Amino acid sequence: MDCLFCKVIDRKIPASIVYEDDHVLAFNDINPQAPTHVLVVPKRHIATLNDLEPGDDPTVGELVRRAAAIAKERGIWAGGFRTVFNTNSDAGQTVFHIHLHLLGGRSLKWPPG
Ligand code: AMP
Ligand code: ZN
């Protein structure tokens, strides 16, 4: 499958990896939008949130809990951080392998653009 993040998971493309376990990989975004900008991805390919099935619930929970754990490690846990899944074109999704953006380390505006 021609998927950028599957290639990162398979180590066919280099990335700055910050966490790995059997189900989850987290790596620094190549074009960071904040001092912390980490992408947390499932190792199993899921294209968009629209493709989630009930059996994926534990995986999604792991992504969210891992993002919070990385925020804690970075010292941005208490001050606050943002987690975002972009889905399809109106949200600007460019890589079709679900990824939770963890953004923090600066004050973030709301609503997003
Ligand atoms: P999205 O627009 O939500 O699909 O987010 C895709 C993200 O992947 C963007 O923030 C990109 O900067 C990031 N990205 C693209 N290629 C790479 C890569 N090779 N390594 C790390 N991050 C990447
Ligand atoms: Zn993939």
Side-chain angles (χ1 to χ4, degrees):
M1 183 183 306
D2 193 27
C3 169
L4 184 65
F5 290 170
C6 283
K7 288 178 184 160
V8 170
I9 291 159
D10 293 341
R11 304 298 202 273
K12 291 178 181 149
I13 290 178
S16 169
I17 291 168
V18 302
Y19 176 83
E20 180 168 28
D21 65 25
D22 287 349
H23 303 129
V24 172
L25 189 72
F27 49 95
N28 289 313
D29 196 292
I30 205 168
N31 182 23
Q33 301 300 313
T36 286
H37 187 173
V38 172
L39 303 175
V40 189
V41 310
K43 287 195 168 174
R44 199 160 57 75
H45 180 85
I46 303 169
T48 79
L49 292 197
N50 295 342
D51 301 294
L52 288 173
E53 295 176 358
D56 297 319
D57 288 2
T59 301
V60 175
E62 286 179 46
L63 299 182
V64 176
R65 287 205 314 113
R66 182 53 49 193
I70 294 168
K72 187 173 189 180
E73 280 171 18
R74 302 276 177 108
I76 60 171
W77 196 52
F81 57 90
R82 184 166 296 158
T83 43
V84 178
F85 287 105
N86 292 320
T87 299
N88 283 342
S89 60
D90 275 358
Q93 185 177 4
T94 58
V95 179
F96 288 84
H97 179 130
I98 65 168
H99 47 282
L100 183 57
H101 293 259
L102 166 64
L103 294 148
R106 66 171 173 84
S107 179
L108 299 163
K109 291 188 173 31
W110 189 262

